[in-house]
Every structure is written in structure tokens, then in C-alpha cells.
Amino acid sequence: MLKFKKLSKVYFSPSGTTEKIVNEVAKHFNLNRENYNLLSFDEEKTFTDELVIIGVPVFDGRIPKLVCKRLSKMKGTNTKAIVILNYGNISYGDALLELTELLKENNFQIIGVATTVSQHSHFSEIGHNRPDNDDLEKINEFSKKIVEKLENGIENEIFVSGYKPYQDY
């Protein structure tokens, strides 16, 4: 049984695609929802007794600097978080490691991580029309596995790829 008071969706989505993917994951949780759009939300925030879905895009293999700045103001209280990293079908570089480390430093417990492919924001022929139906099906499979994991009380540490120091912007 899920023991959260609410679901908070935190995302940075200039093109709307990352938000779409976060919403796709969120629909699997029957919880009251709050949205934090990092395009405009720039405040201190502590998350308690809730599940948080955090979705961000990759720019040149890194998390956008503005996202890092705004996420650094968001703190958990050993808060469970699902991480969604959305990239333009080329490479996500060190962004996944960068994002998960930032969240762990801010007291979030990462319970699931997904990297999702979208149409590239500058070169539309790369990843054209993605996420497509197959991508959405995989996102839904991932979401169902996270629900099952939470219902069964499974708490394993998540390890992700990447290198330090992070590549330059």
C-alpha cells in the first residue's frame, strides 16, 4: 500500500515533452498532485510525506544550470523520488549521475530512474516524433514496476552511469 499524502511533480520542460513524460508516469499514482514547473518556480521547498517525480531534459550531456540552481533549493526528508531524464536521442552524458547526486545530497531517496528519448530540440530529424507509442508503452511499464516496488516495500539503492568530474558545459 502506498503511504504518501500526495504526489509532487517537479519538472523543467521548455518544449513540453519532459512534462508530458512526467504526467505519463504520474497517472499511475492515485494521489493528490502538486506541480512545480522549474521554468518559473524558484523558491525554497521541502518535501515531506510525499512521492516526488522529478523530470528534466539534458542539454549537451548535462543538467541545465538553471535547473541545478532551482533544484538545489528543493530538499527532501528522506523523500522518495522517481527521476526522469529526457534527452534528444544522442547522449545524456553525465546528466543522470549529476541529477541523482544532486537529489541525494538534498535528502531524496531515489527509488526509480528512467532515461527517455524525445525529438531533439534543435535537430528535429533526430528522434523524430518521439516519444512515440512504443516509448509511452515502456514508460508505462516502468511506472507499473515502480508502483509494484512501492507496494511491496522494496527499497534498493539505485546506481547510475556517469563520470566525475562532469564534462564541461
Side-chain angles (χ1 to χ4, degrees), residues 42-63:
D42 187 19
E43 300 172 26
E44 300 278 333
K45 173 68 181 155
T46 300
F47 297 91
T48 305
D49 298 327
E50 58 198 284
L51 177 63
V52 181
I53 301 173
I54 301 166
V56 301
V58 175
F59 293 174
D60 291 327
R62 296 285 304 274
I63 301 302

mmCIF file of all heavy atoms in Angstrom, residues 42-63:
data_model
loop_
_atom_site.group_PDB
_atom_site.id
_atom_site.type_symbol
_atom_site.label_atom_id
_atom_site.label_comp_id
_atom_site.label_asym_id
_atom_site.label_seq_id
_atom_site.Cartn_x
_atom_site.Cartn_y
_atom_site.Cartn_z
ATOM 1 N N ASP A 42 10.987 29.176 -8.351
ATOM 2 C CA ASP A 42 12.345 29.460 -7.892
ATOM 3 C C ASP A 42 12.311 29.831 -6.413
ATOM 4 O O ASP A 42 12.656 30.927 -6.021
ATOM 5 C CB ASP A 42 12.952 30.593 -8.717
ATOM 6 C CG ASP A 42 14.421 30.825 -8.405
ATOM 7 O OD1 ASP A 42 15.068 29.922 -7.846
ATOM 8 O OD2 ASP A 42 14.927 31.915 -8.709
ATOM 9 N N GLU A 43 11.846 28.869 -5.589
ATOM 10 C CA GLU A 43 11.702 29.119 -4.161
ATOM 11 C C GLU A 43 12.290 27.956 -3.373
ATOM 12 O O GLU A 43 12.505 26.880 -3.922
ATOM 13 C CB GLU A 43 10.210 29.251 -3.797
ATOM 14 C CG GLU A 43 9.495 30.380 -4.509
ATOM 15 C CD GLU A 43 7.993 30.352 -4.267
ATOM 16 O OE1 GLU A 43 7.570 29.828 -3.220
ATOM 17 O OE2 GLU A 43 7.270 30.838 -5.140
ATOM 18 N N GLU A 44 12.501 28.179 -2.091
ATOM 19 C CA GLU A 44 12.878 27.100 -1.186
ATOM 20 C C GLU A 44 11.655 26.196 -1.019
ATOM 21 O O GLU A 44 10.530 26.679 -0.907
ATOM 22 C CB GLU A 44 13.268 27.656 0.188
ATOM 23 C CG GLU A 44 14.437 28.619 0.167
ATOM 24 C CD GLU A 44 15.781 27.930 0.135
ATOM 25 O OE1 GLU A 44 15.875 26.787 0.620
ATOM 26 O OE2 GLU A 44 16.738 28.537 -0.379
ATOM 27 N N LYS A 45 11.879 24.889 -0.997
ATOM 28 C CA LYS A 45 10.772 23.951 -0.840
ATOM 29 C C LYS A 45 11.291 22.687 -0.177
ATOM 30 O O LYS A 45 12.331 22.162 -0.553
ATOM 31 C CB LYS A 45 10.158 23.619 -2.211
ATOM 32 C CG LYS A 45 9.110 22.530 -2.209
ATOM 33 C CD LYS A 45 7.850 22.935 -1.507
ATOM 34 C CE LYS A 45 6.846 21.784 -1.531
ATOM 35 N NZ LYS A 45 5.906 21.842 -0.454
ATOM 36 N N THR A 46 10.566 22.215 0.835
ATOM 37 C CA THR A 46 10.881 20.944 1.485
ATOM 38 C C THR A 46 9.716 19.993 1.243
ATOM 39 O O THR A 46 8.561 20.353 1.452
ATOM 40 C CB THR A 46 11.108 21.125 3.001
ATOM 41 O OG1 THR A 46 12.198 22.027 3.182
ATOM 42 C CG2 THR A 46 11.439 19.804 3.664
ATOM 43 N N PHE A 47 10.044 18.785 0.803
ATOM 44 C CA PHE A 47 9.042 17.764 0.506
ATOM 45 C C PHE A 47 9.025 16.747 1.633
ATOM 46 O O PHE A 47 10.049 16.152 1.960
ATOM 47 C CB PHE A 47 9.368 17.071 -0.818
ATOM 48 C CG PHE A 47 9.338 17.982 -2.004
ATOM 49 C CD1 PHE A 47 10.481 18.636 -2.427
ATOM 50 C CD2 PHE A 47 8.154 18.197 -2.694
ATOM 51 C CE1 PHE A 47 10.458 19.482 -3.531
ATOM 52 C CE2 PHE A 47 8.115 19.044 -3.792
ATOM 53 C CZ PHE A 47 9.271 19.689 -4.216
ATOM 54 N N THR A 48 7.840 16.542 2.221
ATOM 55 C CA THR A 48 7.672 15.620 3.348
ATOM 56 C C THR A 48 6.423 14.778 3.117
ATOM 57 O O THR A 48 5.406 15.293 2.666
ATOM 58 C CB THR A 48 7.510 16.421 4.663
ATOM 59 O OG1 THR A 48 8.624 17.295 4.795
ATOM 60 C CG2 THR A 48 7.455 15.506 5.867
ATOM 61 N N ASP A 49 6.500 13.492 3.443
ATOM 62 C CA ASP A 49 5.343 12.579 3.346
ATOM 63 C C ASP A 49 4.710 12.563 1.965
ATOM 64 O O ASP A 49 3.491 12.512 1.827
ATOM 65 C CB ASP A 49 4.279 12.933 4.393
ATOM 66 C CG ASP A 49 4.784 12.785 5.812
ATOM 67 O OD1 ASP A 49 5.618 11.890 6.041
ATOM 68 O OD2 ASP A 49 4.350 13.559 6.677
ATOM 69 N N GLU A 50 5.536 12.629 0.948
ATOM 70 C CA GLU A 50 5.009 12.617 -0.411
ATOM 71 C C GLU A 50 5.981 11.904 -1.332
ATOM 72 O O GLU A 50 7.147 11.709 -1.004
ATOM 73 C CB GLU A 50 4.747 14.044 -0.896
ATOM 74 C CG GLU A 50 5.971 14.942 -0.880
ATOM 75 C CD GLU A 50 5.611 16.413 -0.932
ATOM 76 O OE1 GLU A 50 5.248 16.886 -2.014
ATOM 77 O OE2 GLU A 50 5.689 17.064 0.114
ATOM 78 N N LEU A 51 5.469 11.521 -2.471
ATOM 79 C CA LEU A 51 6.270 10.949 -3.530
ATOM 80 C C LEU A 51 6.539 12.070 -4.530
ATOM 81 O O LEU A 51 5.636 12.847 -4.851
ATOM 82 C CB LEU A 51 5.501 9.807 -4.202
ATOM 83 C CG LEU A 51 6.163 9.138 -5.397
ATOM 84 C CD1 LEU A 51 7.460 8.452 -5.001
ATOM 85 C CD2 LEU A 51 5.187 8.131 -6.015
ATOM 86 N N VAL A 52 7.776 12.159 -5.001
ATOM 87 C CA VAL A 52 8.141 13.228 -5.925
ATOM 88 C C VAL A 52 8.638 12.617 -7.230
ATOM 89 O O VAL A 52 9.472 11.713 -7.217
ATOM 90 C CB VAL A 52 9.234 14.139 -5.315
ATOM 91 C CG1 VAL A 52 9.588 15.273 -6.271
ATOM 92 C CG2 VAL A 52 8.784 14.701 -3.975
ATOM 93 N N ILE A 53 8.111 13.110 -8.342
ATOM 94 C CA ILE A 53 8.620 12.756 -9.667
ATOM 95 C C ILE A 53 9.367 13.979 -10.173
ATOM 96 O O ILE A 53 8.792 15.076 -10.238
ATOM 97 C CB ILE A 53 7.493 12.386 -10.646
ATOM 98 C CG1 ILE A 53 6.680 11.211 -10.114
ATOM 99 C CG2 ILE A 53 8.082 12.058 -12.021
ATOM 100 C CD1 ILE A 53 5.438 10.901 -10.947
ATOM 101 N N ILE A 54 10.633 13.794 -10.518
ATOM 102 C CA ILE A 54 11.467 14.907 -10.978
ATOM 103 C C ILE A 54 11.902 14.611 -12.400
ATOM 104 O O ILE A 54 12.586 13.612 -12.650
ATOM 105 C CB ILE A 54 12.679 15.096 -10.052
ATOM 106 C CG1 ILE A 54 12.191 15.374 -8.629
ATOM 107 C CG2 ILE A 54 13.582 16.212 -10.568
ATOM 108 C CD1 ILE A 54 13.234 15.261 -7.565
ATOM 109 N N GLY A 55 11.508 15.467 -13.319
ATOM 110 C CA GLY A 55 11.851 15.280 -14.722
ATOM 111 C C GLY A 55 12.570 16.484 -15.288
ATOM 112 O O GLY A 55 12.106 17.615 -15.142
ATOM 113 N N VAL A 56 13.722 16.229 -15.921
ATOM 114 C CA VAL A 56 14.491 17.313 -16.536
ATOM 115 C C VAL A 56 15.071 16.849 -17.868
ATOM 116 O O VAL A 56 15.335 15.663 -18.062
ATOM 117 C CB VAL A 56 15.619 17.835 -15.608
ATOM 118 C CG1 VAL A 56 15.062 18.343 -14.301
ATOM 119 C CG2 VAL A 56 16.670 16.800 -15.366
ATOM 120 N N PRO A 57 15.311 17.792 -18.768
ATOM 121 C CA PRO A 57 15.959 17.464 -20.036
ATOM 122 C C PRO A 57 17.480 17.556 -19.903
ATOM 123 O O PRO A 57 18.005 18.078 -18.921
ATOM 124 C CB PRO A 57 15.442 18.556 -20.976
ATOM 125 C CG PRO A 57 15.277 19.744 -20.082
ATOM 126 C CD PRO A 57 14.827 19.180 -18.751
ATOM 127 N N VAL A 58 18.148 17.064 -20.913
ATOM 128 C CA VAL A 58 19.604 17.136 -20.994
ATOM 129 C C VAL A 58 19.978 18.169 -22.043
ATOM 130 O O VAL A 58 19.414 18.181 -23.134
ATOM 131 C CB VAL A 58 20.182 15.761 -21.400
ATOM 132 C CG1 VAL A 58 21.682 15.837 -21.599
ATOM 133 C CG2 VAL A 58 19.812 14.712 -20.384
ATOM 134 N N PHE A 59 20.925 19.028 -21.691
ATOM 135 C CA PHE A 59 21.492 19.987 -22.647
ATOM 136 C C PHE A 59 22.990 19.711 -22.706
ATOM 137 O O PHE A 59 23.684 19.867 -21.703
ATOM 138 C CB PHE A 59 21.253 21.432 -22.210
ATOM 139 C CG PHE A 59 19.809 21.892 -22.207
ATOM 140 C CD1 PHE A 59 19.486 23.132 -21.711
ATOM 141 C CD2 PHE A 59 18.778 21.102 -22.687
ATOM 142 C CE1 PHE A 59 18.172 23.584 -21.699
ATOM 143 C CE2 PHE A 59 17.465 21.531 -22.676
ATOM 144 C CZ PHE A 59 17.162 22.786 -22.183
ATOM 145 N N ASP A 60 23.486 19.272 -23.848
ATOM 146 C CA ASP A 60 24.920 18.993 -24.030
ATOM 147 C C ASP A 60 25.481 18.043 -22.978
ATOM 148 O O ASP A 60 26.572 18.258 -22.443
ATOM 149 C CB ASP A 60 25.732 20.294 -24.048
ATOM 150 C CG ASP A 60 25.471 21.127 -25.298
ATOM 151 O OD1 ASP A 60 25.225 20.522 -26.360
ATOM 152 O OD2 ASP A 60 25.514 22.361 -25.201
ATOM 153 N N GLY A 61 24.740 17.007 -22.641
ATOM 154 C CA GLY A 61 25.221 15.998 -21.717
ATOM 155 C C GLY A 61 25.192 16.387 -20.256
ATOM 156 O O GLY A 61 25.729 15.681 -19.409
ATOM 157 N N ARG A 62 24.535 17.499 -19.930
ATOM 158 C CA ARG A 62 24.485 17.999 -18.554
ATOM 159 C C ARG A 62 23.059 18.445 -18.226
ATOM 160 O O ARG A 62 22.217 18.635 -19.098
ATOM 161 C CB ARG A 62 25.422 19.214 -18.382
ATOM 162 C CG ARG A 62 26.897 18.961 -18.579
ATOM 163 C CD ARG A 62 27.557 18.232 -17.438
ATOM 164 N NE ARG A 62 27.395 18.868 -16.141
ATOM 165 C CZ ARG A 62 28.184 19.825 -15.658
ATOM 166 N NH1 ARG A 62 29.210 20.264 -16.365
ATOM 167 N NH2 ARG A 62 27.951 20.330 -14.454
ATOM 168 N N ILE A 63 22.845 18.641 -16.934
ATOM 169 C CA ILE A 63 21.603 19.245 -16.468
ATOM 170 C C ILE A 63 21.726 20.743 -16.697
ATOM 171 O O ILE A 63 22.771 21.323 -16.389
ATOM 172 C CB ILE A 63 21.404 18.963 -14.958
ATOM 173 C CG1 ILE A 63 21.372 17.467 -14.688
ATOM 174 C CG2 ILE A 63 20.152 19.633 -14.427
ATOM 175 C CD1 ILE A 63 20.321 16.718 -15.436
#
